[in-house]
């Protein structure tokens, strides 16, 4: 049977194609808010990081009502690094809305999320957004969408998708681009007509697949998921089946369903609806909650394997404990384990070294968001460079993840972009020059070649280039290439940086510290112009003599310092370096702080190479 009073819809789009803005307009026009109510923009971007960066990081649920039908909206991330959020959120949906920019068309992340929706056999509604752009290519973009569906193996039924045209910022949708621009009624009506209600078997007992976890200070652990069959009542005796297929008894102390952007308490939830169960402690994403009389497990949520790993450990620098409150390895481990419970795409493994852990995920951006979140919670950490996860075949061949890279840049930058990607073992697959002054390039490049390339790419294209990629699969190892062509300028002592010393160090490279900043032995204070590391004294003050007054020549003018962001720091460090992350500072350092030990280790490596030759 089908519950016609419900629609569960996932909204999928590439980053910055207007998904969150469209959801805002859907809220306002469906009567969620009063006419005189003050509402912020981008309501669904609830995290500080989402508001700052203008992207969706975590999948979130909300609900509206249209013509007596409840529509549960699942807001999914548009970045492939957060693919685990997409996979678990699509398990609650019975249809999807694909939002595509009228100028940029379907981009790599669109492809990634759409592939997941088609694999789940969800009906898709296409919305071409921002049709008021001056550079809109509506017909070409629609053809690109058809090509993408065919390329992803869509069947004839999936290719018969309805198409709408919208301006999310103005809150209007039309069946044709030239129609009168009124409101979002065409979109709401298309959802009711083209996306079916959730199916269920009336003879089956209650079953629910846990797709999300939350936590309340008053209610404890919350399990979120769609009811596949049956109904659930408040205080009902239930069972939870985990990965071991062993039912564990539990009781739902409170039932909640989504209403607008909040939840409301109910006594009963019907099949197909998305429910929030309270009073459940020992549960993880992918578990099945069912009746005690007839326990039966649903297929668990499967996610793609992680491709990037990063080492996270305690802060061992001389400045440890000065700025953060959460320092101990036990506290860090508990926080990382909590993250693996809420994010199915992240794995945690013990490290060979004490007081550090290996975190595996989809991409460097996902790792950076995790570290940034922990930093804002008061943690002090030391973080290594992101590394790709390799595989080995049965005959001993090493395989590495390969990305399909799309580059959109001005024609004059095509040469430098191609040269840089070739240095990273990339291969050009396609070149499209429509004659508008901008070109579109496609490359096949190792994932490790893109770690740290974003900043260099923006510099090479003077900030005008657009770069997107998605994981294509694993191929044979393409060979080594240098991750960085410059060395590090390291401090050889502890103290505070002095303007006189920094002024004299400026010809050596680009500095990262300002006068008065604390430094210590082994801390990286700048990027060397050459490929070797050097140890310097950034605390050296000007010697005073009886021929000069103390204040003479003190007003040195330093080049403004480009402060390190977390992503830039993770891209910059090499395998023998770490990022020191505290709530107030981001510093770079050598793994081995003592300059003497580093020289000894370098000598031992050189001697070993000589013996091997």
């Amino acid at each position: 049977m089908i519950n016609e009073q419900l629609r569960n819809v996932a909204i999928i789009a590439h980053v910055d194609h207007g998904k969150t803005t469209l959801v805002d307009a859907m809220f306002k026009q469906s009567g969620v808010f009063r006419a005189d109510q003050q509402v912020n923009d981008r309501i669904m971007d609830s995290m500080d990081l989402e508001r700052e960066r203008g992207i969706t990081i975590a999948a979130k649920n909300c609900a509206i009502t249209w013509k007596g039908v409840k529509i549960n909206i699942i807001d999914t991330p548009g970045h492939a690094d957060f693919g685990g959020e997409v996979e678990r959120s699509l398990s609650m949906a019975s249809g999807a809305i694909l939002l595509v920019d009228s100028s940029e068309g379907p981009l790599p992340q669109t492809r990634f999320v759409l592939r997941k929706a088609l694999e789940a056999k969800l009906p898709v509604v296409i919305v071409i957004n921002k049709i008021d752009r001056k550079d809109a290519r509506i017909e070409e973009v629609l053809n690109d969408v058809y090509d993408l569906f065919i390329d992803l193996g869509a069947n004839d039924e999936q290719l018969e998708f309805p198409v709408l045209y919208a301006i999310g910022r103005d809150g209007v949708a039309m069946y044709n681009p030239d129609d009168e621009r009124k409101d979002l009624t065409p979109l709401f009506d298309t959802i009711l007509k083209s996306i079916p209600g959730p199916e269920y078997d009336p003879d089956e007992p209650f079953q629910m697949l846990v797709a999300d976890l939350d936590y309340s200070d008053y209610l404890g652990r919350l399990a979120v998921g769609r009811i596949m069959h049956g109904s659930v009542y408040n205080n009902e005796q239930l069972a939870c089946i985990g990965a071991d297929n062993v039912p564990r008894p539990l009781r739902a102390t409170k039932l909640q369903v989504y209403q607008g952007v909040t939840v409301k308490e109910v006594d009963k939830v019907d099949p197909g609806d998305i429910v929030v169960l309270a009073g459940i402690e020992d549960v993880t994403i992918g578990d099945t909650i069912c009746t005690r009389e007839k326990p039966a497990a649903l297929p668990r949520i499967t996610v793609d394997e992680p491709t990037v790993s990063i080492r996270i450990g305690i802060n061992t620098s001389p400045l440890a404990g000065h700025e953060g409150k959460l320092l101990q390895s036990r506290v860090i481990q508990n926080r990382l384990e909590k993250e693996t419970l809420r994010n199915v795409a992240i794995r945690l493994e013990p490290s060979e070294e004490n007081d550090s852990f290996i975190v595996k995920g989809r991409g460097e951006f996902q790792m950076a968001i995790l570290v940034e979140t922990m930093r804002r919670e008061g943690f002090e950490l030391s973080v290594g460079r992101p590394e790709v996860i390799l595989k080995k075949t049965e005959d001993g061949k090493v395989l590495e993840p390969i990305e399909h890279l799309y580059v959109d840049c001005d024609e004059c930058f095509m040469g430098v972009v191609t040269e840089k990607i070739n240095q990273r073992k990339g291969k050009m697959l396609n070149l499209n020059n429509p004659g508008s002054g901008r070109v579109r390039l496609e490359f096949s490049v190792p994932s490790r070649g893109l770690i740290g390339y974003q900043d260099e790419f923006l510099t090479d294209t003077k900030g005008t280039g657009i770069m997107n990629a998605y994981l294509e699969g694993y191929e044979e190892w393409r060979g080594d290439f240098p991750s960085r062509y410059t060395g590090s300028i390291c401090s050889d002592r502890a103290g505070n940086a002095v303007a006189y010393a920094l002024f004299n160090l400026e010809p050596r490279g680009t500095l990262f510290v300002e006068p008065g900043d604390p430094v210590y032995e082994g801390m990286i204070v700048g990027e060397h112009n050459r490929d070797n590391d050097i140890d310097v004294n950034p605390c050296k003050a000007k010697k005073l003599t009886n021929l000069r007054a103390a204040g003479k020549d003190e007003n040195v003018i330093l080049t403004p310092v480009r402060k390190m962001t977390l992503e830039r720091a993770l891209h910059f460090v090499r395998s023998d370096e770490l990022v020191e992350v505290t709530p107030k500072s981001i510093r770079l350092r050598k793994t081995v702080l003592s300059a003497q030990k580093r020289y000894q280790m370098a000598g031992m490596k050189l001697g070993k190479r000589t013996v091997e030759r």
Side-chain angles (χ1 to χ4, degrees), residues 301-349:
I301 297 171
T302 57
V303 298
D304 292 345
E305 290 294 313
T307 57
V308 172
S309 69
I310 199 168
R311 187 184 299 273
I312 296 179
I314 62 171
N315 184 12
T316 56
S317 87
L319 299 177
H322 288 207
E323 298 174 353
K325 296 178 180 177
L326 304 171
L327 316 169
Q328 304 89 343
S329 62
R330 173 182 50 80
V331 178
I332 294 171
Q333 183 179 5
N334 290 342
R335 175 62 180 84
L336 293 173
E337 286 173 348
K338 182 181 172 185
E339 188 68 26
T340 60
L341 292 176
R342 299 185 64 171
N343 192 332
V344 289
I346 284 184
R347 313 267 176 89
L348 179 64
E349 295 178 3

Side-chain angles (χ1 to χ4, degrees), residues 269-307:
V269 185
D270 293 323
D273 207 349
I274 295 172
V275 64
V276 182
L277 289 180
I280 297 169
E281 287 305 316
D282 188 16
V283 64
T284 59
I285 291 175
D287 289 357
T288 299
I289 297 176
C290 52
T291 60
R292 290 191 188 180
E293 294 76 24
K294 291 185 178 179
L298 293 163
R300 292 185 73 83
I301 297 171
T302 57
V303 298
D304 292 345
E305 290 294 313
T307 57

Side-chain angles (χ1 to χ4, degrees), residues 27 36 126 153 165 210 284 299 322 361 411 473 588 595 599:
F27 278 141
D36 60 342
I126 304 299
Y165 305 88
V210 179
T284 59
H322 288 207
E411 197 173 344
L588 306 177
Y599 284 130

